[in-house]
């Protein structure tokens, strides 16, 4: 009897516990019901590292962590003493190259003048040769008739030979002058190429000078300062971390059984743990093509249910821009997807955050 009396309170306590667990499970929030699927995730945003293109010393950083910045805004500057010296050197080389071009052009003009003179001399020597050959022909006729001495004939023959040699010499001079013209042209082309190379060097240095000012690639908020003024960084060294608050999303996973029913643009409602009374409207912007958490061998239906697909829900950009001061990354929450577009959203997911 004593044993039965002791067991009775214990059985009552066990019964109360079982009933409490059953009541808790049946009274808890079960979600919007059929036609909806959910997944847990955290708010994320696109992050961009603002880094140096060239190695060097950080001169100054113009922003602090938490500052909102605009695309193109100067965020930091690198020391440019070396680049300025290189720019002055490149300018001097460029000016020297321009002088060389001018000298080469003058040389070309001079040699072309010499060619014109040499060509005129050919015409003159050919004219003299023609006259000498005519005199020689007359002398030969007179010598045959005995009207001219042999000395005169010999002199006319020597004059004709001299005139012919003068023509050949003039032609050789023209060839030499033409070679000098070609050499002067080549020197001019080389000088002009040097000018182009110097100009390209100046453009490269100007680009490096422009890159020494680290600018925001997009609108966003400074998340971290990764370097301090005075630090020496290698090429690609990170200075700042920028988060783009216009590209905010939540990544979560859904079962394989519903992944095929989710299309791009499907409505999503995100409920954050910090504000469960309102829902953030979003849209599906990405659905993975391959499953995650896949077992090595899938043989049974229960195993196939373990297949999960990654989904990304992107929050509307206009809403984000109207509430930049409230956007925080890393916040946990639940994303609800409406699989049936004809089914209305339940009341607990209808109180949406509005654009202000």
């Amino acid at each position: 009897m004593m044993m039965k009396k002791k067991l009775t309170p214990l059985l009552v306590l066990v019964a109360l516990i079982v009933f409490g667990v059953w009541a808790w499970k049946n009274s808890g929030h079960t979600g919007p019901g059929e036609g909806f699927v959910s997944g847990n995730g955290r708010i994320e945003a696109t992050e961009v590292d603002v880094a140096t293109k060239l190695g060097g010393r950080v001169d100054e950083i113009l922003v602090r962590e938490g500052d909102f910045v605009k695309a193109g805004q100067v965020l930091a500057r690198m020391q440019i003493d070396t680049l300025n010296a290189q720019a002055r050197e490149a300018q001097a080389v460029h000016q020297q190259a321009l002088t060389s071009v001018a000298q080469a052009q003058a040389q070309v003009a001079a040699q072309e003048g010499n060619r014109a003179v040499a060509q005129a001399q050919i015409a003159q020597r050919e004219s003299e040769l023609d006259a000498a050959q005519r005199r020689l022909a007359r002398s030969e006729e007179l010598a045959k008739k005995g009207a001219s001495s042999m000395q005169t004939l010999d002199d006319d023959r020597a004059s004709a030979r001299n005139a012919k040699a003068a023509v050949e010499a003039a032609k050789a001079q023209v060839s030499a002058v033409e070679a000098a013209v070609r050499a002067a042209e080549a020197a001019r082309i080389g000088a002009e190429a040097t000018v182009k190379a110097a100009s390209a060097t100046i453009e490269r240095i100007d680009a490096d000078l422009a890159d020494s000012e680290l600018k925001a690639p997009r609108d966003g908020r400074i998340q971290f300062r990764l370097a301090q003024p005075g630090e020496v960084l290698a090429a690609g060294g990170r200075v700042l971390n920028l988060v783009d608050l216009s590209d905010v999303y939540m990544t979560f996973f859904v079962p394989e059984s519903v992944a095929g029913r989710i299309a791009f643009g499907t409505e999503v409602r995100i409920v954050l743990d910090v504000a469960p009374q309102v829902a953030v409207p979003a849209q599906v912007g990405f659905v993975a093509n391959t499953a995650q958490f896949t077992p090595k061998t899938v043989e049974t239906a229960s195993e196939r249910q373990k297949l999960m697909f990654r989904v990304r829900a992107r929050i509307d950009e206009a809403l984000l821009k109207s509430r930049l001061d409230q956007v925080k990354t890393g916040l946990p929450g639940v994303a609800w997807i409406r699989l049936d577009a004809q089914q209305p959203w339940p009341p607990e997911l209808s109180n949406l955050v509005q654009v202000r």
Side-chain angles (χ1 to χ4, degrees):
M1 289 295 293
M2 293 296 295
M3 182 64 67
K4 289 184 177 180
K5 289 182 179 180
K6 290 181 179 179
L7 289 176
T8 300
L10 181 61
L11 292 174
V12 171
L13 178 62
V14 171
L16 290 174
I17 292 175
V18 171
F19 177 78
V21 171
W22 176 85
W24 176 78
K25 287 185 177 180
N26 286 275
S27 62
H29 177 67
T30 58
E34 294 294 332
F36 296 86
V37 66
S38 66
N40 298 318
R42 290 181 180 272
I43 294 296
E44 303 175 64
T46 299
E47 295 184 11
V48 179
D49 286 329
V50 180
T52 64
K53 178 182 177 182
L54 303 174
R57 189 183 302 276
V58 180
D59 189 26
E60 58 180 338
I61 298 178
L62 307 176
V63 292
R64 296 173 296 182
E65 292 180 354
D67 287 352
F68 288 93
V69 297
K70 294 291 186 180
Q73 179 180 336
V74 178
L75 307 180
R77 292 188 177 93
M78 306 295 291
Q79 284 190 358
I80 56 174
D81 296 342
T82 301
L83 289 175
N84 284 332
Q86 292 176 355
R88 291 192 295 271
E89 179 184 4
Q91 290 287 354
V93 172
H94 183 262
Q95 187 59 47
Q96 184 179 9
L98 290 175
T99 302
S100 298
V101 169
Q103 292 175 348
Q105 289 175 339
Q107 188 66 22
V108 169
Q111 294 300 336
E112 287 178 344
N114 293 336
R115 180 171 58 185
V117 171
Q119 289 173 342
Q121 287 180 347
I122 289 179
Q124 181 180 355
R125 299 309 180 197
E126 287 178 342
S127 177
E128 293 174 353
L129 174 61
D130 182 67
Q133 288 175 340
R134 290 177 181 275
R135 284 196 302 271
L136 177 59
R138 288 194 297 269
S139 296
E140 288 176 344
E141 288 294 329
L142 292 174
K144 290 178 181 179
K145 297 178 181 179
S148 175
S149 64
M150 293 301 296
Q151 183 63 43
T152 301
L153 180 59
D154 291 339
D155 291 342
D156 290 340
R157 285 175 177 172
S159 296
R161 286 195 297 271
N162 290 337
K164 186 175 181 180
V167 169
E168 296 299 327
K171 290 181 178 180
Q173 181 64 26
V174 168
S175 298
V177 171
E178 287 180 344
V181 169
R182 289 192 295 271
E185 286 282 356
R188 179 184 62 80
I189 294 172
E192 290 176 347
T194 303
V195 169
K196 292 180 180 179
S199 298
T201 300
I202 292 173
E203 292 176 0
R204 175 182 59 79
I205 295 174
D206 288 342
D208 290 341
L209 285 169
D211 287 332
S212 67
E213 288 190 336
L214 307 184
K215 299 179 180 179
R218 59 179 74 186
D219 294 351
R221 184 174 62 201
I222 301 300
Q223 188 166 223
F224 302 112
R225 281 179 58 158
L226 305 174
Q228 298 298 329
E231 292 187 30
V232 177
L233 303 178
R238 298 186 300 165
V239 179
L240 298 164
N241 178 267
L242 174 71
V243 58
D244 183 0
L245 297 181
S246 65
D247 187 14
V248 179
Y249 52 88
M250 175 178 281
T251 300
F252 54 97
F253 293 86
V254 297
E256 173 268 343
S257 58
V258 299
R261 300 171 59 187
I262 299 174
F264 293 108
T266 300
E267 280 191 81
V268 180
R269 301 287 168 87
I270 298 174
V271 180
L272 300 176
D273 293 353
V274 296
Q277 70 279 7
V278 293
V280 180
Q283 288 185 338
V284 172
F286 171 82
V287 180
N289 293 325
T290 57
Q292 310 260 334
F293 311 143
T294 308
K296 293 182 179 180
T297 58
V298 180
E299 298 177 353
T300 65
S302 61
E303 288 295 314
R304 287 197 295 272
Q305 292 303 316
K306 294 180 181 179
L307 298 176
M308 302 293 284
F309 284 77
R310 183 162 58 96
V311 180
R312 177 178 294 176
R314 189 172 185 273
I315 301 175
D316 181 66
E317 185 175 348
L319 175 61
L320 292 169
K321 288 185 176 180
S322 71
R323 296 177 177 268
L324 286 178
D325 56 334
Q326 296 179 334
V327 179
K328 302 290 187 298
T329 58
L331 298 178
V334 179
W336 288 93
I337 300 178
R338 184 173 63 176
L339 301 176
D340 184 2
Q342 304 300 322
Q343 188 169 349
W345 287 98
E348 63 266 28
L349 295 178
S350 299
N351 185 21
L352 302 180
V353 178
Q354 302 296 325
V355 176
R356 63 182 182 184

